[in-house]
Amino acid sequence: MKTTLLLLCFQLSVLSTYPFLGGAQEAVLDVEGEELQTGVAYNILSLLRPRGGLTVGSNRNNDSICPLDVVQAPLWVDSGLPWTFSPFNNDTVVRLLTDLNIKSSAPTICVQSLVWKLSDYDASVGRFFVTTDGVEGNPGCGTITNWFRIEKAIGRYKFVFCPSVCDIAKIVCQDVGIFGEDGILRLALSEFAEGVMFRKAAEDSKMIKNAADH
Ligand SMILES: *[C@@H]1O[C@H](CO)[C@@H](O)[C@H](O)[C@H]1NC(C)=O
Ligand SMILES: *[C@@H]1O[C@H](CO)[C@@H](O)[C@H](O)[C@H]1NC(C)=O
């Protein structure tokens, strides 16, 4: 019994120190088994069919729909926006447990950027949402709300808010899940992670082209 407990403690400490050993983290893989590349656009798809990919929608504020929140398209046929990932350390490969900026260059009616950012605490529902209007780069305490990680989850992957870019802030790491309200599926910090997978966004246009050829 004691041995088991000791072994468990040992395993936990190995697990929790592993990210700091200095070795490169494992690359995140897309649905084809290819490593995710920095700056290449991917659709972020839900493991939970029949839901669609990640896109943007109006925020919860009744005064203005901008900045847009990150939402999940309700229908699986909608792959959502193309998203790109930029690791804080300028790595060319997107790796697990590494702070990332996540953004889309899709045109919207809002002037704000489509860089993911954690919202202020919304006391009315007790949630932090994933909104946009973040800034890219400059890892540090001033940009702490702009960094998200990808971690392995059962099946595929999940997003986690757990920035390490600011040494002095104690962050309680939390998974990114879905907060559904009036039929809108917003990304929010949650005890239930949303399982996701990544597919090169270019495949969509290829599929459309193939369909047009036939
Ligand atoms: C927006 O309006 C709805 C309906 O009037 C109300 O229930 C909700 O609390 C409002 N939300 C905010 C953030 O003010
Ligand atoms: C990443 O690139 C930015 C912009 O070129 C640069 O300022 C920064 O020092 C780089 N960071 C690392 C860790 O190389």
Side-chain angles (χ1 to χ4, degrees), residues 145-158:
T145 56
N146 299 275
W147 301 97
F148 295 83
R149 299 174 168 203
I150 298 170
E151 289 188 15
K152 273 200 172 148
I154 299 166
R156 294 279 165 86
Y157 298 106
K158 63 180 179 181

Side-chain angles (χ1 to χ4, degrees), residues 9 22 28 32 38-39 41-42 56 96 99 115 117 120 130 136 140 146 151 171 186-187 194 197 203 211:
C9 288
V28 178
E32 309 286 337
T38 298
Y42 296 88
V56 286
L96 294 172
D99 286 339
V115 177
K117 185 177 98 176
D120 291 336
V130 180
E136 246 189 311
N146 299 275
E151 289 188 15
I171 301 287
R186 290 191 175 85
L187 261 64
E194 176 73 357
M197 51 193 179
E203 282 180 24

Side-chain angles (χ1 to χ4, degrees), residues 80-96:
L81 294 181
W83 298 98
T84 56
F85 305 91
S86 314
F88 79 102
N89 55 4
N90 302 339
D91 197 344
T92 56
V93 171
V94 179
R95 299 182 186 280
L96 294 172

Side-chain angles (χ1 to χ4, degrees), residues 47-115:
L47 285 178
L48 251 191
R49 294 296 170 115
R51 289 185 186 168
L54 298 190
T55 181
V56 286
S58 61
N59 68 40
R60 296 185 73 255
N61 184 337
N62 290 334
D63 303 328
S64 164
I65 67 161
C66 300
L68 297 166
D69 280 349
V70 181
V71 304
Q72 186 167 42
L75 299 177
W76 73 269
V77 288
D78 185 347
S79 300
L81 294 181
W83 298 98
T84 56
F85 305 91
S86 314
F88 79 102
N89 55 4
N90 302 339
D91 197 344
T92 56
V93 171
V94 179
R95 299 182 186 280
L96 294 172
L97 299 163
T98 303
D99 286 339
L100 308 164
N101 286 143
I102 303 169
K103 73 158 185 186
S104 183
S105 306
T108 71
I109 56 166
C110 297
V111 296
Q112 291 91 342
S113 77
L114 292 188
V115 177

Side-chain angles (χ1 to χ4, degrees), residues 181-196:
E181 182 185 45
D182 301 332
I184 302 173
L185 306 168
R186 290 191 175 85
L187 261 64
L189 297 192
S190 167
E191 52 273 44
F192 304 106
E194 176 73 357
V196 293

